[in-house]
Amino acid sequence: GVSPLQMARFTVAIANGGRMPADQETIRYTGFYGRGPDGKPFLSREVLGGGSGGRYYADGSDAIHIVPDSRNQPAEFTENRFPVLVEKLALRTDSGGAGKRRGGLGYEKHYRVLVDCHTIVTADRVRLGCYGVNGGKAGQPFCVTVDLDGAAKDLGGLVDGEPVKAGQVLRVVTTGGGGWGDPLERETDRVLRDVVQGKVSSAAAREDYGVVLAARAAGAAIDPTVDETATERLRGEMRARRTAPLPMIDRGPGYEKMLRGEFKPRV
């Protein structure tokens, strides 16, 4: 449901015409424990941040940490201290909620364990992403998966002692901030820059922002550019398909699933 604090935020957003930041990341940590190749016990715990919410005057910030004095562990530290390889550390593409001012991006981090061990996860925002404000969309929620027999298993947000076999990969993606304002009002040059920087995919540029990209030759490289005519047409079609005003608060698809009872207890 809705906590008293969230209800207060919703009321403030409605009262001032949406001129408040969208929702941002919360606290979570992941880690591993077991025995290394030398037989000695080890414990690795890491706090990973996420994106802050978009504001009426600016995009949200990427990969912030609200826990004081916390940050992601450098790959070199992790690999020298623990039997773990860090195969990827990047911003999570499309994790920030779409909006006139986009939500900040969360992390994507992949760990390959080198010994049989266990993983621990404590996290919020697994079912519900950070809410968007004034027509902006909710950001993507937190998720941890591990490869099991060639298939990815979603571990959820509260895990203590999940076995991970040597060679398996644990993938952690953290929350993106909520978006602020109508995504179809975002300037096309900002959307293009997000695509070039890998913060927004070409598919999301079209589906969420109504921006049509085309290829343009630039010397030996092929760079994307905005097809302004096609974009104006697509945005007009997307606006015409709307059957109701955009909501002041968007809590994302997870909220509707929760109301329908589609989330099952984990066993």
Side-chain angles (χ1 to χ4, degrees):
V2 179
S3 69
L5 177 58
Q6 287 178 324
M7 182 59 70
R9 289 172 175 170
F10 297 168
T11 303
V12 171
I14 294 172
N16 65 9
R19 291 170 68 88
M20 65 169 287
D23 195 20
Q24 71 172 41
E25 69 100 7
T26 53
I27 299 172
R28 82 287 308 218
Y29 70 82
T30 57
F32 304 92
Y33 68 90
R35 291 187 178 275
D38 57 3
K40 295 181 179 180
F42 71 91
L43 169 63
S44 170
R45 293 177 60 187
E46 180 173 12
V47 177
L48 287 173
S52 70
R55 298 149 287 179
Y56 70 90
Y57 57 88
D59 292 341
S61 298
D62 302 326
I64 64 168
H65 289 249
I66 65 171
V67 181
D69 299 321
S70 70
R71 59 188 59 85
N72 76 86
Q73 293 177 356
E76 296 83 357
F77 173 84
T78 299
E79 294 179 351
N80 279 283
R81 188 73 178 270
F82 308 108
V84 176
L85 293 179
V86 178
E87 297 194 340
K88 182 176 183 178
L89 174 59
L91 293 177
R92 180 188 180 189
T93 301
D94 291 336
S95 57
K100 181 176 181 180
R101 297 295 170 252
R102 176 182 48 74
L105 274 60
Y107 283 104
E108 179 174 359
K109 196 162 187 178
H110 298 181
Y111 310 83
R112 186 180 298 276
V113 298
L114 304 180
V115 297
D116 292 347
C117 59
H118 298 82
T119 186
I120 48 179
V121 180
T122 300
D124 199 354
R125 302 294 189 191
V126 174
R127 295 182 175 180
L128 305 180
C130 298
Y131 58 80
V133 171
N134 199 31
K137 293 187 176 182
Q140 293 296 315
F142 177 88
C143 184
V144 177
T145 59
V146 63
D147 286 338
L148 292 174
D149 300 321
K153 177 183 178 182
D154 180 0
L155 299 186
L158 293 175
V159 174
D160 184 9
E162 178 75 21
V164 184
K165 297 179 181 179
Q168 290 183 329
V169 176
L170 189 83
R171 295 176 173 86
V172 180
V173 289
T174 70
T175 51
W180 189 96
D182 186 348
L184 300 185
E185 295 181 3
R186 186 166 177 82
E187 299 86 346
T188 57
D189 62 323
R190 288 177 179 260
V191 177
L192 176 61
R193 182 181 62 189
D194 285 342
V195 172
V196 171
Q197 293 179 346
K199 295 184 176 183
V200 172
S201 67
S202 297
R206 184 183 186 97
E207 296 167 7
D208 292 335
Y209 294 97
V211 173
V212 180
L213 300 178
R216 175 183 60 188
I222 301 296
D223 293 333
T225 186
V226 175
D227 185 330
E228 297 288 356
T229 300
T231 294
E232 183 177 356
R233 181 171 58 252
L234 177 58
R235 284 183 163 182
E237 294 171 353
M238 294 172 71
R239 289 188 178 99
R241 288 197 295 267
R242 291 175 175 171
T243 58
L246 294 177
M248 178 60 70
I249 301 294
D250 175 53
R251 306 192 70 190
Y255 183 66
E256 296 300 326
K257 290 182 179 180
M258 184 178 68
L259 294 181
R260 293 193 298 266
E262 295 181 12
F263 288 118
K264 304 300 181 183
R266 296 183 184 278
V267 294

